[in-house]
């Protein structure tokens, strides 16, 4: 079945640690996105990539980094510079073509700082 | 001001009621408008999308966009307990970046 797989589902991070969240898709979509969801704040865009080896900052990129070496993969690293990383992280992919706007989401990774 | 503002809720209705969920947006470049449904601890799933102004119906769901007033609505008829979820509106322009509202938590009571 085609879809987006995020792993792990739950992740615990100690203060000062970097952690990497995995996102893999087999939908052959060019565009991939990372969102952060906090209670009562909807989804906020962290980074997005329209094509392999290219990515742009979203609204809240500080303290995060990404790479896009393969079309299928868009991992997100939460660095120690992110002061409040506890949140629900969602990865999405989309076909950036006229006439279609459906973004497919993974099931999310819940990150907690301990 | 957020680009997409959404009624915060939470909203509780009895089974069978008509539900109205609303958003406003400020970005005139938005051309596509979407409603996503998100169950607890899950990723959002696309419910409906519309292009520009107008209505779109799919079963018990109707999406409505009024670009002149920058108003987005989702109506749910004959609501069911299984409709209990958080509903997120979103808009996007040619840049293909989805901008989401904060979500409305809906509970349909049996």
């Amino acid at each position: 079945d085609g879809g987006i797989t995020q792993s792990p589902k739950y992740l615990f991070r100690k203060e000062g640690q970097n952690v990497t969240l995995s996102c893999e898709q087999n939908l052959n979509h060019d565009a991939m996105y990372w969102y952060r969801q906090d209670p009562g704040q909807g989804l906020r865009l962290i980074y997005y990539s329209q094509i392999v080896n290219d990515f742009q900052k979203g609204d809240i990129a500080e303290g995060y980094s990404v790479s896009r070496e393969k079309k299928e993969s868009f991992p997100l690293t939460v660095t120690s510079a992110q002061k409040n990383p506890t949140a629900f992280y969602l990865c999405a992919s989309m076909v950036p073509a006229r006439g279609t706007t459906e973004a497919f989401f993974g099931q999310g990774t819940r990150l907690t700082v301990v | 001001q957020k680009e997409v503002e959404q009624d915060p809720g939470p909203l509780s209705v009895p089974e069978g009621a008509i539900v109205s969920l609303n958003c406003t947006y400020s970005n005139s470049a938005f051309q596509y408008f979407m409603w996503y449904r998100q169950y607890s601890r899950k990723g959002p799933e696309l419910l409906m999308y519309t292009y520009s102004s107008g209505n779109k119906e799919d079963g018990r769901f109707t999406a409505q966009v009024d670009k002149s007033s920058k108003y987005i609505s989702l109506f749910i008829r004959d609501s069911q307990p299984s409709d209990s979820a958080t509903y997120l509106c979103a808009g996007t322009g040619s840049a293909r970046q989805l901008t989401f509202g904060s979500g409305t938590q809906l509970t349909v009571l049996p």
Side-chain angles (χ1 to χ4, degrees), chain A residues 33 37 48 97 100-101 103 106-107, chain B residues 32 36 38 42-43 95-97:
Chain A
Y33 305 79
Q37 188 174 31
Y48 66 101
T100 177
T101 59
Q107 290 304 295
Chain B
Y32 297 94
Y36 282 82
Q38 184 178 24
K42 301 289 186 184
R96 318 305 289 179
Q97 295 178 46

Side-chain angles (χ1 to χ4, degrees), chain A residues 10 33 35 37 40-43 45 48 50 88 90 94-103 105-107 110, chain B residues 2 31-34 36 38 41-46 49 51 86 88 92 95-103:
Chain A
Y10 298 97
Y33 305 79
Y35 290 91
Q37 188 174 31
Q41 295 197 45
L43 276 66
L45 183 63
Y48 66 101
Q50 302 278 21
F88 189 46
L90 288 159
M94 187 191 305
V95 177
R98 185 177 295 279
T100 177
T101 59
E102 183 168 4
F105 283 85
Q107 290 304 295
R110 189 166 297 276
Chain B
K2 291 183 180 179
Q31 298 172 319
Y32 297 94
F33 304 90
M34 286 134 282
Y36 282 82
Q38 184 178 24
R41 301 180 182 272
K42 301 289 186 184
E45 55 180 343
L46 183 67
Y49 79 89
Y51 173 69
T86 296
L88 298 152
T92 186
R96 318 305 289 179
Q97 295 178 46
L98 292 175
T99 301
F100 287 86
S102 57

